Amino acid sequence: MSGTREEILDQIKVQGDLVRQLKAAKEPKEKIDEEVSRLLALKAKLGGDAPVNQKFTLKTPKGTRDYAPQQMTLRQGVLDKIVQVFKRHGGEAIDTPVFELKEVLTGKYGEDSKLIYDLKDQGGEILSMRYDLTVPLARYLAMNKISSIKRYHIAKVYRRDNPAMTRGRYREFYQCDFDIAGTYDPMIADAECVKIVAEILDTLDLGEYVIKLNHRQLLDGMFEACGVPADNFRAICSAVDKLDKSPWEDVRKEMVDEKGLDGATADKIGEYVRLSGGTELVEKLLADPKLKAVPNAVKGLEGMQLLLKYCSLLGLEKAISFDLSLARGLDYYTGVIYECVLKTEPPLSLPATPIKTSAQNGGDQQDQQGGGGIVGSVAGGGRYDNLVGMFDPRGKAVPCVGVSIGVERIFSVLEAKFAASKVKLRTNDVEVYVASAHKGLHEQRLRVLNQLWQAGVKAEHSYKLNPKLLAQLQHCEENQIPLAIILGDAELSQGVVKLREVVTRQEASVKLDDLAEEIIKRRPKD
């Protein structure tokens, strides 16, 4: 044991010297913090023998952040509104483990698979942190032999990305998904997912937006018509997916120099992927001789024609755009793909440079500098009919279509909006504060509180025996508590208390027996 302790002490000395060298060389703070963490881990091995007054850095892990009460109030308010929309459309909530067997996640995300967080061997299982909520859903459906469900899922996911905290890019963040699984007639469920996105954006009042639509079959058919080799479809699709943040010239360069595509073929693709419009564009492409000769392209265009028709019936004409530049790079999409982009410029306190955050259903959330200012992607998704079959022993497919709301991006926009407006959000739901006018009333406060709590009233009081009345009323003002009950010996002897409106300072005498009922009566109407 003593030998082990001495070895650890030697390691601590070496690691301590390294930390001092890094500090002297003024190395980046993140690198220093990393080595300090290793030093602390070594010291922890000594247990009680470790120095009591050791210095260490208080920080959240790289790519994560804490949320204060005001931020959590804002976030919870957004999630509550989103859940209301999900439930309006018949959604049922599920949850899955925060980690999965590594083999469940492997091979589902294309180039993004390198961002999966792997865990050490735990009890004979090789595990990874979930990268999104879609693959776990597919595993859940296959494992439980479920062939039909409308589910929503709000939970944290993890990506071993390079974090950019000032740009809203994290390693731990929320996804907020709605998916429809089951065998149904074409485009009906797909159109409802588009409608859900529009309803959420309208409810949150983030400004003008556009929901871009495209079809994976059309993309494949377009690549075929342009002469792209079949085994290069996914790689070229991944390049096209970058058009929302990079000019065509850069994307073309990647196709030719990195993906090995012929320059003339890339130019043919460029003629298509810069097109956007509505039903008139679909009709124009259906008449295109090159696309007409490719069955995949025709199927994709006919699907888009039907989707646009259903979206029109749902009152979405002004909110949608058929956009051939939309590709969404994930391997599991098989049909319709969509992405919702903010058209209006968010508050000035947001970064003015291109933002890339990872909060979309199966993909990165992209922002770009557009014609009207910063444009932010706040939702994305599509159809993935083959993913469940990858987990079923017999390969039984369950068609699925879904959308993910980019809540982290939405949180960032709203946080900046409230910061700019100097509005203080209320962080509690307390309806009434039970105050005492003088000493010796703490027991009576507890009786009144118990009466209110049993009646379902949200109430609190001071934890001091004899607080000053002014301090109690100031607490109500600072915490935006609308009502205060003021207890006094004279009133209590008559079986009444004073009920005070904190803002107007108007007071009324209320019988103790009627107190809960009176407070409930004064609740704001929804």
Side-chain angles (χ1 to χ4, degrees):
M1 181 70 184
S2 60
T4 303
R5 184 175 181 280
E6 287 173 5
E7 288 174 6
I8 294 172
L9 286 170
D10 288 341
Q11 291 171 18
I12 288 173
K13 185 178 183 303
V14 171
Q15 188 65 22
D17 289 341
L18 174 59
V19 169
R20 282 187 286 276
Q21 288 169 13
L22 292 175
K23 287 181 177 178
K26 296 184 178 179
E27 293 286 345
K29 184 176 182 298
E30 286 186 354
K31 188 175 181 181
I32 294 172
D33 288 344
E34 211 169 294
E35 297 303 332
V36 167
S37 297
R38 291 197 178 102
L39 177 61
L40 293 175
L42 287 170
K43 288 181 177 180
K45 290 181 181 179
L46 292 177
D49 296 330
V52 176
N53 296 322
Q54 64 183 16
K55 292 183 179 179
F56 58 93
T57 304
L58 284 174
K59 64 185 286 290
T60 57
K62 187 189 298 184
T64 65
R65 60 177 286 201
D66 292 324
Y67 296 96
Q70 286 224 342
Q71 292 165 324
M72 283 306 300
T73 299
L74 180 64
R75 292 166 77 86
Q76 195 56 55
V78 169
L79 294 179
D80 288 346
K81 289 176 181 177
I82 291 173
V83 168
Q84 284 176 11
V85 175
F86 288 165
K87 287 184 174 180
R88 189 185 306 149
H89 288 264
E92 303 172 288
I94 71 162
D95 196 10
T96 61
V98 75
F99 44 76
E100 296 274 355
L101 295 175
K102 183 177 181 179
E103 62 198 52
V104 167
L105 303 182
T106 303
K108 313 299 188 302
Y109 302 108
E111 292 182 6
D112 284 349
S113 289
K114 63 182 180 292
L115 302 181
I116 294 173
Y117 259 117
D118 291 332
L119 302 176
K120 287 185 177 179
D121 179 11
Q122 298 291 331
E125 292 184 330
I126 308 300
L127 306 174
S128 296
M129 304 291 282
R130 63 184 174 204
Y131 177 88
D132 68 0
L133 301 178
T134 305
V135 171
L137 169 66
R139 190 267 307 152
Y140 170 84
L141 296 178
M143 193 174 89
N144 295 286
K145 304 196 182 309
I146 296 169
S147 58
S148 174
I149 192 174
K150 258 195 282 192
R151 84 85 162 93
Y152 68 88
H153 190 182
I154 299 173
K156 287 182 176 181
V157 299
Y158 300 85
R159 299 187 183 177
R160 196 169 48 82
D161 207 348
N162 283 326
M165 303 297 285
T166 57
R167 300 186 180 185
R169 187 168 167 186
Y170 309 111
R171 288 181 165 182
E172 176 194 64
F173 56 90
Y174 271 99
Q175 283 196 336
C176 190
D177 287 14
F178 186 95
D179 293 80
I180 301 172
T183 304
Y184 304 111
D185 289 318
M187 295 300 169
I188 297 176
D190 308 64
E192 184 164 357
C193 283
V194 179
K195 179 65 174 176
I196 286 169
V197 173
E199 285 185 15
I200 288 170
L201 268 291
D202 290 342
T203 300
L204 296 176
D205 193 24
L206 291 174
E208 290 187 51
Y209 60 88
V210 61
I211 304 172
K212 298 179 182 180
L213 308 172
N214 203 359
H215 200 292
R216 207 56 183 267
Q217 273 187 298
L218 171 57
L219 279 169
D220 287 351
M222 181 183 71
F223 294 150
E224 184 180 339
C226 292
V228 178
D231 60 359
N232 211 11
F233 280 7
R234 293 285 76 84
I236 299 305
C237 190
S238 177
V240 171
D241 190 41
K242 295 172 183 173
L243 275 172
D244 61 347
K245 62 184 183 297
S246 302
W248 164 248
E249 291 72 22
D250 291 351
V251 172
R252 183 189 184 281
K253 191 173 188 298
E254 179 182 331
M255 287 180 179
V256 176
D257 295 351
E258 296 178 29
K259 313 288 187 183
L261 195 65
D262 176 71
T265 303
D267 291 335
K268 290 177 186 176
I269 293 172
E271 292 174 13
Y272 289 112
V273 295
R274 286 179 280 184
L275 298 175
S276 63
T279 51
E280 75 292 338
L281 178 58
V282 177
E283 290 165 7
K284 176 185 171 184
L285 294 173
L286 278 169
D288 185 302
K290 284 189 289 186
L291 296 179
K292 279 170 69 174
V294 181
N296 254 342
V298 175
K299 284 181 186 175
L301 285 166
E302 288 173 347
M304 286 303 305
Q305 200 168 37
L306 189 57
L307 177 64
L308 292 174
K309 178 183 176 183
Y310 290 157
C311 285
S312 178
L313 292 172
L314 293 173
L316 297 169
E317 304 100 315
K318 294 180 180 178
I320 59 175
S321 171
F322 171 34
D323 192 323
L324 271 79
S325 71
L326 179 63
R328 298 196 63 79
L330 288 184
D331 284 358
Y332 54 59
Y333 288 122
T334 58
V336 169
I337 49 178
Y338 35 73
E339 186 165 271
C340 181
V341 177
L342 292 182
K343 290 166 66 177
T344 51
E345 188 171 342
L348 293 175
S349 51
L350 279 176
T353 50
I355 301 170
K356 178 180 178 182
T357 58
S358 303
Q360 295 294 5
N361 182 24
D364 285 334
Q365 180 182 347
Q366 309 291 351
D367 295 341
Q368 66 185 24
Q369 196 72 28
I374 299 173
V375 179
S377 169
V378 291
R383 175 161 288 279
Y384 52 102
D385 287 347
N386 301 329
L387 191 56
V388 177
M390 294 173 72
F391 297 109
D392 190 274
R394 297 179 182 177
K396 182 185 175 184
V398 177
C400 297
V401 63
V403 65
S404 181
I405 307 303
V407 286
E408 296 293 351
R409 170 64 180 165
I410 290 171
F411 294 150
S412 296
V413 171
L414 291 178
E415 277 181 25
K417 183 178 176 183
F418 276 99
S421 68
K422 309 293 184 187
V423 171
K424 183 184 178 184
L425 284 174
R426 188 179 173 197
T427 57
N428 68 75
D429 293 332
V430 175
E431 296 172 278
V432 64
Y433 187 94
V434 182
S436 46
H438 51 75
K439 293 180 179 180
L441 292 174
H442 62 279
E443 291 183 4
Q444 186 60 41
R445 287 206 315 262
L446 291 173
R447 291 191 189 97
V448 172
L449 278 164
N450 190 50
Q451 174 188 335
L452 295 174
W453 288 335
Q454 287 183 333
V457 174
K458 303 181 185 75
E460 69 172 5
H461 73 134
S462 171
Y463 296 126
K464 292 184 177 181
L465 291 178
N466 300 305
K468 293 180 179 178
L469 181 58
L470 181 60
Q472 295 171 88
L473 295 177
Q474 282 177 340
H475 176 86
C476 295
E477 291 178 1
E478 289 168 6
N479 292 277
Q480 302 176 57
I481 300 171
L483 298 171
I485 294 166
I486 302 175
L487 306 181
D489 282 335
E491 290 82 6
L492 287 171
S493 65
Q494 300 172 40
V496 299
V497 296
K498 286 181 182 176
L499 185 61
R500 177 187 177 105
E501 290 183 3
V502 174
V503 174
T504 65
R505 302 187 180 183
Q506 292 181 345
E507 293 182 349
S509 293
V510 180
K511 290 182 180 179
L512 269 172
D513 293 342
D514 301 336
L515 192 52
E517 185 182 342
E518 178 64 26
I519 292 166
I520 291 168
K521 196 187 298 179
R522 292 176 182 236
R523 281 176 178 164
K525 300 291 185 290
D526 291 331

